[in-house]
Amino acid sequence: MFSDPIRFRGPLADSYPAAVALVVFALIPYLGLTSALTPLTPVLGKSLHMSDQALSLTTGMANAAYAFGTVLAVQFAVHLRGRRMLFLYAVLSLIGSVMTAAAGTPGLFIAGHVLQGLCTSLMLIAAVPPLVIGWPTSRMPGTAVIMNLCIFGAVAIGPVIGGLQASAGAWRPLFWIVAGLGALALVFVVLTFEDQGPQDRTAPWDWVALALAAGGCAAAFFGASELETHAASDAIVLVPLLAGIAMLISLVTFEYLIENPLMPVRQAASTLPVAGIVVAMCAGAASVAVIELAQTALKSEPPAHVGLLFLPEFGAAAAVAVIFGLLFRTRWIPLLALGGMITLSAGAAVLSGVAPGSDVLVLVGSGLVGMGVGASVSPSLFIAGFSLRSAQLQRVFALVELLRGVAAFMVAPVVLHVAMTAAATPAAGIGTAAWICFAIAASGGLFAIGLFLAGRARLQRPDLERWDSGDEPAWYSPPLGAGLRREKRSPSAAGARG
């Protein structure tokens, strides 16, 4: 099917702005929806005759499809022609968006939204790495800013858009706008089309990884979604949740052990990549959960008013994205990520008082969360990517996005369930759950610092030219615990010298 070369070459194949537009229109729609749906839930439920449990399960399965798609995209890239597959992903994404916007039945909406989630991650892995390494290194700082805005800026603006749309008592206009953006993504796929061969058709299909990723994501997200109407100890929650987590741990272990893995777990098992992955996971989990807690606490307020209270989240994320671009060639990227975790922790602490708090508290807290996410997650992606060869970038991004997506979208329902069940009043429960988010962010930052110190890592300027050539990482990442091992050897070595 994909063996013969296609002579067609898009008129904008050599245009960097067009490549940027492709990524923007491919990623923003679904990622914005992930945080816009909370205020729209009552409107959606009434229109489609769906219960809160059904909507929770729909969101969970769409997020599971997003997480699984990162693994599937890498497997397809190994064996199939990347640009043709990107065209297929964009077509399917548009179909899913039209299905959700036009849905008159729950089944059509559910199928369309799950397809949106799957295709967004497929496009992410297919389109973003070429944007990073397919252009001169002078473009990389700008690309980093764009990625930050597309992935995290879209999530940050979601509550604002969702609140404004909910205040109008309608949901379809937003979904038709999403479909329109999907159509633009397809247009830019065609305009920038340049056929390319598969990475390695001789490589085996990693059916074990695909099965573990699919089963693990589906089971874990299903279990977490059922917390909407069930206790955490119920079998319908506990069994799939634990089974899914076990399968995902098995996936990472399997990828570490085999010789030709889809995701470079063994190569990434050094100080800087592991620290970056931990920061990305903890920042994603804490930020998504604490914003959902704040939205839940304010659900009795007018939706438009609540939405505008989260505008500082987007403004702060956009400002930090620019700062990241300015620091991209410096040695300060790890410190930016650490600063992001500190700021995110502060945001969670502020929002712990959201239930009885004032509008100013929400404005400040959401701004701190936006600043923290923008400063931590995207820099962490590059911390991991710079520590391996650029040829591995697609696979590294897939690994980080899989783990970040699982942490971000699976932890939030669990934390929200704690908020609703762990205290005598919802206000007290939301405060307790917000402090859990604080603990997640703070522990992630402290763990990363511990890894950095134990490995005796140092701040380094990334050598982008060397990295872009594909031969070497952009900087040196010491083995895990390298400094501790040297300290343990030193007494015996001193004794031998004596």
Side-chain angles (χ1 to χ4, degrees):
M1 178 180 177
F2 297 107
S3 58
D4 297 328
I6 291 179
R7 295 183 182 275
F8 172 76
R9 189 172 187 270
L12 299 181
D14 294 324
S15 169
Y16 177 76
V20 168
L22 164 60
V23 170
V24 169
F25 293 129
L27 301 186
I28 283 180
Y30 174 78
L31 294 175
L33 279 179
T34 60
S35 55
L37 284 180
T38 299
L40 284 171
T41 296
V43 182
L44 270 167
K46 183 178 180 180
S47 174
L48 295 174
H49 306 290
M50 296 176 68
S51 65
D52 289 347
Q53 177 61 76
L55 287 169
S56 175
L57 186 58
T58 300
T59 302
M61 291 300 97
N63 291 334
Y66 175 87
F68 168 64
T70 60
V71 182
L72 186 62
V74 173
Q75 183 67 89
F76 282 161
V78 172
H79 291 275
L80 304 173
R81 291 181 176 270
R83 290 296 299 196
R84 300 191 207 182
M85 295 305 296
L86 182 57
F87 176 80
L88 178 61
Y89 303 154
V91 170
L92 293 175
S93 178
L94 178 57
I95 291 172
S97 295
V98 171
M99 288 170 62
T100 56
T105 62
L108 193 62
F109 180 84
I110 293 169
H113 194 48
V114 171
L115 190 58
Q116 283 180 310
L118 175 65
C119 291
T120 298
S121 62
L122 291 172
M123 291 189 291
L124 168 69
I125 301 303
V128 170
L131 182 64
V132 176
I133 60 177
W135 301 89
T137 55
S138 59
R139 299 280 194 183
M140 284 188 191
T143 300
V145 174
I146 292 158
M147 281 182 56
N148 209 331
L149 287 174
C150 285
I151 299 177
F152 309 109
V155 175
I157 199 66
V160 180
I161 295 173
L164 294 175
Q165 185 66 73
S167 69
W171 60 274
R172 293 189 193 274
L174 175 59
F175 280 79
W176 280 117
I177 291 172
V178 166
L181 296 176
L184 288 173
L186 178 58
V187 168
F188 277 99
V189 169
V190 175
L191 291 176
T192 61
F193 186 89
E194 186 172 18
D195 204 14
Q196 57 185 207
Q199 294 176 3
D200 184 8
R201 277 203 176 127
T202 63
W205 284 78
D206 197 340
W207 298 111
V208 174
L210 293 176
L212 289 172
C217 291
F221 280 85
F222 176 85
S225 299
E226 288 296 321
L227 285 168
E228 180 72 29
T229 54
H230 295 87
S233 58
D234 288 354
I236 196 172
V237 172
L238 199 59
V239 173
L241 185 59
L242 294 180
I245 292 173
M247 282 188 277
L248 292 170
I249 293 173
S250 299
L251 167 65
V252 174
T253 304
F254 178 76
E255 293 295 282
Y256 180 88
L257 295 174
I258 63 174
E259 289 189 13
N260 191 14
L262 275 181
M263 295 175 292
V265 176
R266 184 180 301 176
Q267 295 94 319
S270 63
T271 297
L272 294 180
V274 173
I277 291 171
V278 169
V279 166
M281 292 177 65
C282 292
S287 62
V288 172
V290 77
I291 291 299
E292 286 202 14
L293 286 171
Q295 288 178 306
T296 301
L298 299 170
K299 65 182 179 180
S300 62
E301 300 291 328
H305 174 71
V306 173
L308 292 175
L309 291 179
F310 290 97
L311 195 56
E313 183 186 5
F314 173 73
V320 172
V322 175
I323 294 173
F324 179 41
L326 295 174
L327 297 178
F328 193 78
R329 283 184 171 270
T330 72
R331 68 182 64 188
W332 308 118
I333 295 178
L335 290 185
L336 178 64
L338 175 61
M341 296 303 282
I342 294 172
T343 308
L344 177 56
S345 300
V350 169
L351 290 176
S352 66
V354 65
S358 65
D359 288 354
V360 173
L361 183 147
V362 181
L363 290 167
V364 172
S366 67
L368 289 171
V369 170
M371 185 181 300
V373 174
S376 57
V377 182
S378 192
S380 296
L381 278 169
F382 282 95
I383 288 172
F386 284 158
S387 302
L388 281 74
R389 294 181 295 109
S390 61
Q392 296 277 55
L393 185 64
Q394 191 176 48
R395 300 178 183 225
V396 175
F397 272 19
L399 174 64
V400 177
E401 270 301 287
L402 168 67
L403 297 176
R404 185 197 72 84
V406 168
F409 298 127
M410 191 182 72
V411 169
V414 177
V415 172
L416 195 58
H417 180 76
V418 171
M420 296 297 103
T421 60
T425 64
I430 288 173
T432 299
W435 282 111
I436 293 175
C437 296
F438 169 87
I440 292 172
S443 61
L446 291 173
F447 188 75
I449 291 174
L451 287 174
F452 200 86
L453 296 177
R456 288 191 178 176
R458 58 186 181 86
L459 299 177
Q460 308 161 67
R461 290 172 57 94
D463 190 334
L464 300 184
E465 287 69 28
R466 182 180 68 184
W467 184 71
D468 191 50
S469 69
D471 296 330
E472 297 289 340
W475 53 33
Y476 170 68
S477 176
L480 291 170
L484 298 178
R485 289 196 293 271
R486 283 199 295 270
E487 290 174 1
K488 288 179 179 179
R489 284 198 301 265
S490 59
S492 60
R497 284 195 301 268

